Amino acid sequence: MNKIINGLEENVENFLKNLSTDKSLYQYRNTLKGNTKNGSNLRLGYSCYALKIYFTLGLWDKLDRESKDEWINYINSFQNSVSRFPANSFIDEALISGYSNFSNYKKLKNLAKLSLNYFNLYNFDGVERQLNEAVKAESKQAISTLYQIGSKNNKGYADFEKTEDQINSYISSLDWGKPWSAGAQYANLCLFTETQLEKNNYQKKVLDKKIKDYLNEENGFYYIGEAPSKSQLVNGAMKVISGLRWIDSPIHYPEKIIDYCLEVEPNQEGCDLVDVVFVLYEASKETNYKKSEIIKYFESMYEIIFSHFYPQEGGFSYYRGKSQIYYYGLTTSKGESSPDIHGTILLTWALAMIFEVTENENYNWNILKP
């Protein structure tokens, strides 16, 4: 294992340099080979991913002030007011173009499925709604990236609930039978509250109180109804806990969550890998419960994580043996055997948390705040 991770920072830095477009420090492709038009043209999300990788590995601190300011200004340049989206959203024209270029077949298929929503026969988001959710997600990603490095967005983003009634009504409207999706929306609201409101103590208290309506006291996870799949539980908890961190609230039952996660066999996909690491990492910060077992669990994950690593190229792939194929509903690659920027941000983040918990003195990496 030590041979694999020696010089990892340099390997990943070289991977990002090769992934950059026209050798730009701020513009990146999805993967080294097999990119679709979307994978080559998307800018905002991939720039945020790259900056977060720089931050995680300590490369950000090595940049000169001019380069830092240029990168910050580049991300802020995407903030705009377009009538079809909330004011001051972060808008990547390549994302808009990708959705506009859906084939007629897909548009008709989406329209047919969307029409079934009116009869409650099928739960499906139409193309326009998917695009709006993608723009909101990219706005959240850009804002969190800027705050991660001690900066902020130039213009206030205001498309979120602020009063007690609005907050409670919005959270209640989410489908907490599917905690991954509901938890993500809750986390977005927490982040926007913390970063976009100067006086936010009252809103943070409302958010902290409301999430308890969906807390299962038996197992410590956040959902209502019958317990969903293990993946839904852990991924949903990851989203909720990331929201709690933005509003400075503790995890409600960290020991119960630790017990559950230690029994979860890690999935091979990048998101599932980092989610279980994040949940265990955050829970372990609040208690010493089963610390040695967590360390063993994390150490057992090295083999899985590095099965995604490409030593010659220096990056990680989202799937084992193939690159990330999608980005917010858009096809970004052919899924060839190649590292990609999404897999690399997720698995370097996972490694940073593992290194800290296992007290690996060779790597003093920074932990992302999603």
mmCIF file of all heavy atoms in Angstrom, residues 348-365:
data_model
loop_
_atom_site.group_PDB
_atom_site.id
_atom_site.type_symbol
_atom_site.label_atom_id
_atom_site.label_comp_id
_atom_site.label_asym_id
_atom_site.label_seq_id
_atom_site.Cartn_x
_atom_site.Cartn_y
_atom_site.Cartn_z
ATOM 1 N N THR A 348 -9.700 11.193 -3.237
ATOM 2 C CA THR A 348 -8.690 11.918 -2.447
ATOM 3 C C THR A 348 -9.318 12.467 -1.170
ATOM 4 O O THR A 348 -8.661 12.501 -0.122
ATOM 5 C CB THR A 348 -8.062 13.067 -3.258
ATOM 6 O OG1 THR A 348 -9.090 13.912 -3.797
ATOM 7 C CG2 THR A 348 -7.200 12.531 -4.385
ATOM 8 N N TRP A 349 -10.569 12.877 -1.248
ATOM 9 C CA TRP A 349 -11.299 13.332 -0.058
ATOM 10 C C TRP A 349 -11.443 12.188 0.942
ATOM 11 O O TRP A 349 -11.184 12.352 2.143
ATOM 12 C CB TRP A 349 -12.660 13.882 -0.485
ATOM 13 C CG TRP A 349 -13.565 14.342 0.618
ATOM 14 C CD1 TRP A 349 -13.219 14.764 1.871
ATOM 15 C CD2 TRP A 349 -14.994 14.438 0.552
ATOM 16 N NE1 TRP A 349 -14.340 15.115 2.586
ATOM 17 C CE2 TRP A 349 -15.437 14.933 1.798
ATOM 18 C CE3 TRP A 349 -15.930 14.167 -0.447
ATOM 19 C CZ2 TRP A 349 -16.795 15.138 2.071
ATOM 20 C CZ3 TRP A 349 -17.274 14.381 -0.184
ATOM 21 C CH2 TRP A 349 -17.702 14.864 1.082
ATOM 22 N N ALA A 350 -11.831 11.009 0.441
ATOM 23 C CA ALA A 350 -11.953 9.841 1.317
ATOM 24 C C ALA A 350 -10.614 9.523 1.978
ATOM 25 O O ALA A 350 -10.545 9.251 3.179
ATOM 26 C CB ALA A 350 -12.465 8.639 0.517
ATOM 27 N N LEU A 351 -9.542 9.565 1.200
ATOM 28 C CA LEU A 351 -8.217 9.276 1.751
ATOM 29 C C LEU A 351 -7.815 10.297 2.801
ATOM 30 O O LEU A 351 -7.208 9.950 3.822
ATOM 31 C CB LEU A 351 -7.177 9.242 0.630
ATOM 32 C CG LEU A 351 -7.202 7.999 -0.264
ATOM 33 C CD1 LEU A 351 -6.271 8.187 -1.456
ATOM 34 C CD2 LEU A 351 -6.806 6.750 0.520
ATOM 35 N N ALA A 352 -8.156 11.562 2.577
ATOM 36 C CA ALA A 352 -7.809 12.598 3.562
ATOM 37 C C ALA A 352 -8.457 12.298 4.905
ATOM 38 O O ALA A 352 -7.819 12.445 5.965
ATOM 39 C CB ALA A 352 -8.259 13.965 3.046
ATOM 40 N N MET A 353 -9.705 11.875 4.890
ATOM 41 C CA MET A 353 -10.395 11.534 6.146
ATOM 42 C C MET A 353 -9.802 10.286 6.782
ATOM 43 O O MET A 353 -9.604 10.228 8.014
ATOM 44 C CB MET A 353 -11.891 11.362 5.878
ATOM 45 C CG MET A 353 -12.599 12.653 5.497
ATOM 46 S SD MET A 353 -14.397 12.495 5.279
ATOM 47 C CE MET A 353 -14.478 11.740 3.641
ATOM 48 N N ILE A 354 -9.485 9.301 5.965
ATOM 49 C CA ILE A 354 -8.894 8.063 6.486
ATOM 50 C C ILE A 354 -7.520 8.347 7.094
ATOM 51 O O ILE A 354 -7.193 7.851 8.182
ATOM 52 C CB ILE A 354 -8.792 7.010 5.359
ATOM 53 C CG1 ILE A 354 -10.193 6.521 4.976
ATOM 54 C CG2 ILE A 354 -7.927 5.834 5.798
ATOM 55 C CD1 ILE A 354 -10.216 5.611 3.764
ATOM 56 N N PHE A 355 -6.703 9.149 6.410
ATOM 57 C CA PHE A 355 -5.380 9.471 6.933
ATOM 58 C C PHE A 355 -5.470 10.152 8.295
ATOM 59 O O PHE A 355 -4.659 9.901 9.186
ATOM 60 C CB PHE A 355 -4.635 10.387 5.957
ATOM 61 C CG PHE A 355 -4.235 9.722 4.661
ATOM 62 C CD1 PHE A 355 -4.021 10.489 3.521
ATOM 63 C CD2 PHE A 355 -4.070 8.352 4.580
ATOM 64 C CE1 PHE A 355 -3.637 9.894 2.330
ATOM 65 C CE2 PHE A 355 -3.695 7.738 3.383
ATOM 66 C CZ PHE A 355 -3.482 8.513 2.259
ATOM 67 N N GLU A 356 -6.451 11.031 8.454
ATOM 68 C CA GLU A 356 -6.580 11.746 9.732
ATOM 69 C C GLU A 356 -6.990 10.798 10.853
ATOM 70 O O GLU A 356 -6.416 10.827 11.948
ATOM 71 C CB GLU A 356 -7.600 12.877 9.610
ATOM 72 C CG GLU A 356 -7.753 13.678 10.904
ATOM 73 C CD GLU A 356 -8.671 14.871 10.764
ATOM 74 O OE1 GLU A 356 -8.480 15.647 9.811
ATOM 75 O OE2 GLU A 356 -9.583 15.024 11.611
ATOM 76 N N VAL A 357 -7.989 9.963 10.601
ATOM 77 C CA VAL A 357 -8.473 9.054 11.648
ATOM 78 C C VAL A 357 -7.414 8.018 12.009
ATOM 79 O O VAL A 357 -7.229 7.680 13.182
ATOM 80 C CB VAL A 357 -9.783 8.359 11.203
ATOM 81 C CG1 VAL A 357 -10.177 7.263 12.192
ATOM 82 C CG2 VAL A 357 -10.908 9.382 11.082
ATOM 83 N N THR A 358 -6.694 7.508 11.013
ATOM 84 C CA THR A 358 -5.676 6.484 11.270
ATOM 85 C C THR A 358 -4.342 7.098 11.682
ATOM 86 O O THR A 358 -3.372 6.382 11.911
ATOM 87 C CB THR A 358 -5.459 5.610 10.020
ATOM 88 O OG1 THR A 358 -5.039 6.444 8.925
ATOM 89 C CG2 THR A 358 -6.737 4.883 9.633
ATOM 90 N N GLU A 359 -4.310 8.438 11.767
ATOM 91 C CA GLU A 359 -3.119 9.171 12.194
ATOM 92 C C GLU A 359 -1.904 8.835 11.329
ATOM 93 O O GLU A 359 -0.804 8.584 11.822
ATOM 94 C CB GLU A 359 -2.830 8.916 13.672
ATOM 95 C CG GLU A 359 -3.966 9.389 14.581
ATOM 96 C CD GLU A 359 -3.690 9.149 16.054
ATOM 97 O OE1 GLU A 359 -2.677 8.480 16.372
ATOM 98 O OE2 GLU A 359 -4.474 9.635 16.886
ATOM 99 N N ASN A 360 -2.124 8.828 10.032
ATOM 100 C CA ASN A 360 -1.034 8.615 9.078
ATOM 101 C C ASN A 360 -0.228 9.905 8.971
ATOM 102 O O ASN A 360 -0.661 10.892 8.373
ATOM 103 C CB ASN A 360 -1.604 8.230 7.707
ATOM 104 C CG ASN A 360 -0.527 7.815 6.725
ATOM 105 O OD1 ASN A 360 0.560 8.365 6.702
ATOM 106 N ND2 ASN A 360 -0.839 6.824 5.899
ATOM 107 N N GLU A 361 0.961 9.916 9.556
ATOM 108 C CA GLU A 361 1.757 11.133 9.642
ATOM 109 C C GLU A 361 2.388 11.531 8.315
ATOM 110 O O GLU A 361 2.918 12.637 8.182
ATOM 111 C CB GLU A 361 2.847 10.953 10.703
ATOM 112 C CG GLU A 361 2.294 10.747 12.113
ATOM 113 C CD GLU A 361 3.380 10.558 13.142
ATOM 114 O OE1 GLU A 361 4.566 10.484 12.733
ATOM 115 O OE2 GLU A 361 3.060 10.471 14.345
ATOM 116 N N ASN A 362 2.331 10.653 7.325
ATOM 117 C CA ASN A 362 2.930 10.971 6.032
ATOM 118 C C ASN A 362 2.064 11.904 5.201
ATOM 119 O O ASN A 362 2.535 12.479 4.222
ATOM 120 C CB ASN A 362 3.176 9.678 5.239
ATOM 121 C CG ASN A 362 4.217 8.793 5.901
ATOM 122 O OD1 ASN A 362 5.219 9.280 6.406
ATOM 123 N ND2 ASN A 362 3.973 7.490 5.906
ATOM 124 N N TYR A 363 0.785 12.015 5.605
ATOM 125 C CA TYR A 363 -0.141 12.811 4.800
ATOM 126 C C TYR A 363 -0.966 13.723 5.694
ATOM 127 O O TYR A 363 -1.817 13.273 6.450
ATOM 128 C CB TYR A 363 -1.058 11.900 3.977
ATOM 129 C CG TYR A 363 -0.276 11.111 2.948
ATOM 130 C CD1 TYR A 363 0.212 9.835 3.256
ATOM 131 C CD2 TYR A 363 0.008 11.652 1.704
ATOM 132 C CE1 TYR A 363 0.951 9.127 2.334
ATOM 133 C CE2 TYR A 363 0.756 10.954 0.780
ATOM 134 C CZ TYR A 363 1.223 9.694 1.090
ATOM 135 O OH TYR A 363 1.972 9.002 0.180
ATOM 136 N N ASN A 364 -0.708 15.001 5.588
ATOM 137 C CA ASN A 364 -1.443 16.004 6.353
ATOM 138 C C ASN A 364 -2.377 16.754 5.401
ATOM 139 O O ASN A 364 -2.225 17.944 5.147
ATOM 140 C CB ASN A 364 -0.468 16.962 7.038
ATOM 141 C CG ASN A 364 -1.192 17.935 7.956
ATOM 142 O OD1 ASN A 364 -2.265 17.646 8.478
ATOM 143 N ND2 ASN A 364 -0.588 19.094 8.141
ATOM 144 N N TRP A 365 -3.354 16.029 4.886
ATOM 145 C CA TRP A 365 -4.255 16.592 3.890
ATOM 146 C C TRP A 365 -5.399 17.340 4.574
ATOM 147 O O TRP A 365 -5.676 17.133 5.753
ATOM 148 C CB TRP A 365 -4.830 15.502 3.000
ATOM 149 C CG TRP A 365 -3.816 14.904 2.054
ATOM 150 C CD1 TRP A 365 -2.489 15.213 1.980
ATOM 151 C CD2 TRP A 365 -4.057 13.898 1.084
ATOM 152 N NE1 TRP A 365 -1.881 14.467 1.006
ATOM 153 C CE2 TRP A 365 -2.823 13.645 0.431
ATOM 154 C CE3 TRP A 365 -5.162 13.181 0.692
ATOM 155 C CZ2 TRP A 365 -2.688 12.715 -0.590
ATOM 156 C CZ3 TRP A 365 -5.053 12.248 -0.335
ATOM 157 C CH2 TRP A 365 -3.823 12.027 -0.967
#
